[in-house]
Amino acid sequence: MKDKETVWQEMLSILEVEINSLGFDVWVNKLRPLKIEDDILVLTAPTPEHKNEVVARYLPLIRGAMRKVSQSPVEVIIVAEDEIGEAPQKSDVTPTAKEPAEVKEQPVLNPKYNFENFVVGGCNRYAYAAARAVADNPGQVYNPLFIYGGVGLGKTHIMQAIGNAVRMSMSNLKVLYVSAETFLNEFVESIQKDKGVRNQAFREKYRGVDLLMLDDVQFMSGKEKMQEEIFNTFEALQNAGKQMVFASDRPPQDIRDLDDRVRSRFSSSLVVDIQPPDLETRIAILQKKSQDAKVNIAMAQLEYIAERVSSNIREMEGVLTKVIFLSRLYERKVDFEICREALNDYRVQECDEITADEIIECTCRYFNVQKADIVGKRKTKEIVEPRQIAIYLINELMNIPLTSIGDIFGGREHTTVMHARDKISALVVSDTKIRTAVNDIKALVLRK
Ligand code: ADP
Ligand code: MG
C-alpha cells in the first residue's frame, strides 16, 4: 500500500488535468490527505462549506482518480477540519507504522470473497447454486460456467469464492483468477518480450491450470487477437477437462464484436445471471457486513440505508463503511444523523436529475393539495405539513442550498427552511404517519 501522501500526489496529478485550473486551485488543491485506513482515504477540507462544495462538484472525479492510482478499491471520504477535533493526530501515526512490505505482493484471490459471507437471496440463488456445484466438482459439472449481471452485484465475489473454496479443499489443483484486462496486458507483454519463442510462458501459464476464472469478459469486445488467444486457451483447457468460469456485465449474446466461435463457447456454457437484490436481501447483506466488522447497528438504521441504496451492493457497502467510520469519528452509536451524512455523497451522485418541481408535484399528489398553496402563504395545517415535507425531501434528495429552497417556496428565509427540515427529521423518527408519507412520496419521486 502506498502512503497517503504518495496516493494523494498521484491523484492530484490526474485531477489537475481533469478539472479546470481555477476549480483545481480553489477547491481540490486545498484538500489534505488525513489518513488511509480500513480501505478509506480520508481527505480534510479547510471548512464545512469547502467540504460541501467539493462533494457536490468533484467527488466523482476524486473517486475516479482514486481508482486509477490504487490497486484495491478504496473509498474516499471528505471531512471538514473542524469536524474532526483531536482525531487526526491520534490516528495519523498508525497507518505509516503498520505498512509492511508484504502488502505489495497481493494474492490475486481475495480471501474476503468466500461462500460463507455471500448472502443468498432470490436475486442470486441460481448463480450461487451453480458456483457451489462447480467448486465441489471442478471440471465435472457446468463447464464452462458463465455468470453475468450488473455492476457491483457480486460476480467477482462469487467467482473468487469458487477459487477460494477449491484452493481450500483441493490444494493440489492449480487455480488462476484474472480479469480479461490483465489477460490482455500479459498477452501483449508476452508477445513483445519473447519475440522469437512466441508467447510460450504465457501459454503455459494459462493452459496449465485446473481452474481458470476470467472476469469481465465483456472487455474483450472488438479485440480480435485477444479473442483468438482466449479461444485457443478454451480449447486446450476443455480438451484436458479443466474448469473455466467467466463473468461479464451482460449475457453472451449482448457482447458486441465477439468472434462467433468465442460467442458460441460462451453461449454453450451454463449461463446464470445475478439480479439486483431485493430489500430483504439488502438488509441481510448489511447485517452480515456490520457483524463482520463487529459493529452493532440497529435494524432501523440498517433498513434506512437499504431502502436508499438499491441497485449496487458495492455502493451500499461504501455507505456502510462510511457509517461505521463516522460513528467512530464522532464516538457515538450509529444513528439516523450519521446514516444521512454517509448517504449524502451517495445521493449527490445518484439523484442529481431529480428536480424540486417533481418533488413538490409528488407531494401535492400524495396529499391532494395544490402546488400554488404549497409554495404560497397559507398557514393551515393541511398545507403546512405537506409544505414542510416537500422542503424536507428537497433538502434530502437534492444538493441545493437552503436559501435556494427558500426561493422555491415563495422567498422564505433559510431559517424557515431549516426549521421545516429539522421538524420533519424528528417526526420521521417519532411519527409513523409522517414516516409513511415521506417514504411513499420519496418512492413516487424516485420511481419517475
Ligand atoms: P461485480 O463483480 O458484480 O461488479 P463484486 O463481486 O465486486 O461485484 O461485489 C461488489 C461488492 O458487493 C463486494 O464487496 C462484494 O463482497 C459485495 N457483495 C455482492 N454480492 C454480495 C452478496 N450476495 N453477499 C455479500 N456481499 C456481496
Ligand atoms: Mg467484478
Side-chain angles (χ1 to χ4, degrees):
M1 187 88 192
K2 298 175 214 165
D3 66 64
K4 60 179 187 188
E5 291 296 342
T6 315
V7 167
W8 181 234
Q9 285 313 318
E10 288 179 14
M11 285 170 70
L12 281 178
S13 57
I14 294 172
L15 291 165
E16 195 169 8
V17 181
E18 293 180 342
I19 296 173
N20 69 48
S21 61
L22 184 65
F24 179 80
D25 289 341
V26 171
W27 300 111
V28 179
N29 208 11
K30 296 226 165 71
L31 304 172
R32 297 265 72 89
L34 176 65
K35 57 179 171 179
I36 298 188
E37 209 175 271
D38 300 334
D39 282 347
I40 302 186
L41 167 69
V42 184
L43 300 171
T44 55
T47 62
E49 292 73 32
H50 195 110
K51 170 190 130 178
N52 292 342
E53 202 60 35
V54 170
V55 167
R57 294 179 187 218
Y58 301 117
L59 192 62
L61 286 174
I62 295 175
R63 289 223 171 101
M66 179 80 241
R67 277 193 292 274
K68 284 183 197 145
V69 307
S70 88
Q71 310 87 334
S72 59
V74 178
E75 269 293 324
V76 179
I77 190 167
I78 300 173
V79 293
E81 267 162 22
D82 49 359
E83 283 174 353
I84 45 177
E86 303 270 275
Q89 294 86 340
K90 212 176 12 176
S91 44
D92 211 12
V93 241
T94 29
T96 29
K98 54 159 195 203
E99 240 168 68
E102 86 227 22
V103 186
K104 226 178 158 205
E105 195 42 35
Q106 278 195 344
V108 185
L109 278 181
N110 188 337
K112 90 174 187 200
Y113 293 146
N114 53 57
F115 284 124
E116 286 66 42
N117 63 11
F118 188 81
V119 175
V120 184
C123 54
N124 55 28
R125 194 177 301 285
Y126 194 31
Y128 174 83
R132 266 246 116 109
V134 164
D136 290 341
N137 296 292
Q140 296 177 36
V141 289
Y142 310 145
N143 192 17
L145 173 64
F146 189 103
I147 303 166
Y148 77 89
V151 177
L153 296 183
K155 302 181 297 292
T156 299
H157 185 138
I158 208 165
M159 203 181 208
Q160 294 212 8
I162 299 176
N164 280 316
V166 168
R167 260 198 193 157
M168 279 287 237
S169 60
M170 294 163 240
S171 51
N172 56 324
L173 296 192
K174 273 201 196 150
V175 171
L176 183 59
Y177 164 91
V178 281
S179 69
E181 194 173 357
T182 306
F183 183 94
L184 176 67
N185 291 342
E186 289 185 11
F187 177 55
V188 171
E189 228 170 75
S190 79
I191 297 176
Q192 287 163 350
K193 217 166 31 199
D194 321 333
K195 276 212 173 70
V197 232
R198 290 289 294 164
N199 32 3
Q200 197 55 35
F202 175 84
R203 292 200 167 146
E204 274 167 19
K205 172 174 173 184
Y206 283 95
R207 296 178 194 184
V209 297
D210 298 290
L211 166 59
L212 176 66
M213 293 167 285
L214 200 57
D215 205 348
D216 291 316
V217 295
Q218 76 277 355
F219 176 82
M220 65 170 126
S221 152
K223 303 185 175 70
E224 280 172 35
K225 278 269 174 305
M226 173 184 186
Q227 293 179 18
E228 192 184 318
E229 185 60 32
I230 286 193
F231 178 75
N232 292 328
T233 309
F234 277 0
E235 292 283 289
L237 287 175
Q238 194 138 48
N239 290 338
K242 308 301 188 188
Q243 177 76 46
M244 284 168 283
V245 183
F246 304 105
S248 159
D249 69 356
R250 64 201 77 179
Q253 67 271 21
D254 293 350
I255 304 178
R256 272 182 301 149
D257 300 322
L258 196 60
D259 185 299
D260 285 342
R261 296 175 308 170
V262 177
R263 192 189 307 279
S264 91
R265 287 294 153 134
F266 282 158
S267 304
S268 64
S269 310
L270 175 68
V271 179
V272 291
D273 67 337
I274 300 188
Q275 293 293 325
D278 56 28
L279 181 64
E280 254 105 83
T281 311
R282 296 203 299 277
I283 294 172
I285 291 173
L286 286 174
Q287 222 164 5
K288 178 109 196 105
K289 306 252 172 203
S290 52
Q291 277 163 7
D292 290 351
K294 301 199 170 43
V295 179
N296 201 356
I297 304 179
M299 197 41 145
Q301 274 79 26
L302 293 179
E303 273 175 21
Y304 186 87
I305 302 169
E307 274 165 7
R308 283 159 183 79
V309 190
S310 54
S311 56
N312 181 326
I313 300 173
R314 187 178 299 125
E315 302 259 8
M316 191 171 75
E317 243 177 4
V319 173
L320 180 69
T321 309
K322 252 177 249 179
V323 163
I324 295 173
F325 172 82
L326 291 172
S327 139
R328 293 202 176 120
L329 190 70
Y330 301 146
E331 296 179 351
R332 63 173 208 261
K333 274 189 67 154
V334 174
D335 52 23
F336 286 113
E337 199 45 54
I338 285 183
C339 295
R340 262 194 290 278
E341 180 169 349
L343 280 158
N344 241 339
D345 310 341
Y346 171 72
R347 275 199 310 263
V348 171
Q349 289 179 310
E350 286 293 290
C351 300
D352 49 7
E353 356 41 314
I354 294 175
T355 64
D357 256 349
E358 279 168 355
I359 296 173
I360 293 174
E361 196 185 296
C362 292
T363 312
C364 289
R365 231 184 320 142
Y366 185 87
F367 286 106
N368 200 16
V369 295
Q370 298 301 315
K371 181 178 173 193
D373 284 334
I374 278 216
V375 300
K377 299 261 174 280
R378 283 181 56 191
K379 290 214 168 93
T380 52
K381 184 161 193 285
E382 309 78 85
I383 299 298
V384 171
E385 205 167 80
R387 181 184 294 141
Q388 291 181 329
I389 287 179
I391 289 175
Y392 168 86
L393 283 172
I394 290 174
N395 177 68
E396 182 180 322
L397 296 175
M398 295 175 61
N399 190 54
I400 56 176
L402 297 180
T403 46
S404 313
I405 301 181
D407 292 343
I408 297 168
F409 288 83
R412 286 181 158 79
E413 290 288 327
H414 83 278
T415 45
T416 314
V417 172
M418 209 149 60
H419 169 75
R421 179 198 64 187
D422 294 345
K423 185 169 160 208
I424 302 298
S425 295
L427 287 175
V428 162
V429 182
S430 62
D431 182 330
T432 0
K433 204 183 100 233
I434 298 284
R435 182 166 57 238
T436 312
V438 164
N439 284 337
D440 288 354
I441 298 168
K442 199 183 301 171
L444 282 176
V445 174
L446 296 176
R447 205 174 303 135
K448 284 195 144 186

